[in-house]
Amino acid sequence: MTADRLDAKAVAAVLRRVAEGRPRVQCLTNTVAQNITANMLLAFGAIPSMAIHVDEVAAMAEGAGAILINIGTINAESELAIPKLLEVARDRAKPLVFDPVFVELSPLRRHVAREVLRLSNIVVRGNATEMAALEADLEAARDRDLTLVTTGKVDRITGATGTLSVAHGHPLMTKVTGVGCAAGALIAACCAVEKDPVVAAAVALTAYGIAGEIAAERARGPGSFEPELIDALANLDEATLRAHMGERS
């Protein structure tokens, strides 16, 4: 991989594969993000499943195209369910995206993160503070082919195949609960159809960021931004991507 970012054609190609393949993403995510995560996946062309019960998460994950683990509102039941999902991801070679929400704030979150980071070939998506809190653990896991996604004003994606950056989005995306968490699910959906997790993450964040830019142009504030974001994501096409990425048709 020689370029620092993807072009619109490459992004659109992966988005088409998501829409055509309709991968299901098994999401063990936080309670405040469940609804918006499901809606964003549907707008993206993927299928959400939100099983949380320890006795069924493995079965739900086995037939999924990818798995998301988000520890934003971790509780006793999800703590027990996570090892089941990790086992499926390892034994069935399922793409797994891990979102270590607020990992810097509690010993339980750090413990769960360390257990997840025992796996190879996973995507870890967090903001700069979360990724810094995991720095020692990520360094120890360097031989496990992790893909690290640090989101912010400019998203940085680093993995075995190289590094890409994404500079799309809008400040309103930080003003609606769950919008950031939904990004992990979109990355998982792309990982279900794209073998290179660096490319998959860059596609998801580029599409999501551009949808955020479009939604912000139409919204009156955070309350109207969420439905506009869903609509913008659902209606993305290559021409729109090119326009927002500064490319000529």
Side-chain angles (χ1 to χ4, degrees), residues 5 19 23 99 139 152 175 182 190:
R5 70 184 185 100
D99 195 335
E139 181 66 23
K175 302 298 183 182
C190 288

Side-chain angles (χ1 to χ4, degrees), residues 108-197:
L108 172 61
R109 292 168 192 256
R110 288 193 293 273
H111 169 73
V112 170
R114 291 189 183 106
E115 292 303 306
V116 175
L117 291 173
R118 293 178 183 272
L119 265 68
S120 300
N121 302 307
I122 68 171
V123 177
V124 183
R125 175 262 173 201
N127 61 35
T129 301
E130 291 157 352
M131 298 302 270
L134 290 175
E135 184 175 4
D137 301 293
L138 295 172
E139 181 66 23
R142 287 184 67 181
D143 61 341
R144 298 185 191 128
D145 290 329
L146 303 183
T147 298
L148 306 182
V149 181
T150 305
T151 52
K153 188 173 183 179
V154 176
D155 305 322
R156 298 291 291 180
I157 305 126
T158 301
T161 59
T163 297
L164 291 172
S165 63
V166 175
H168 291 285
H170 191 275
L172 277 174
M173 298 181 82
T174 68
K175 302 298 183 182
V176 179
T177 299
V179 165
C181 291
L186 301 185
I187 293 171
C190 288
C191 285
V193 302
E194 168 55 51
K195 290 183 179 180
D196 187 337

Side-chain angles (χ1 to χ4, degrees), residues 196-220:
D196 187 337
V198 174
V199 171
V203 167
L205 293 176
T206 299
Y208 202 30
I210 289 174
E213 293 165 2
I214 295 168
E217 293 171 357
R218 301 170 177 170
R220 300 181 306 280

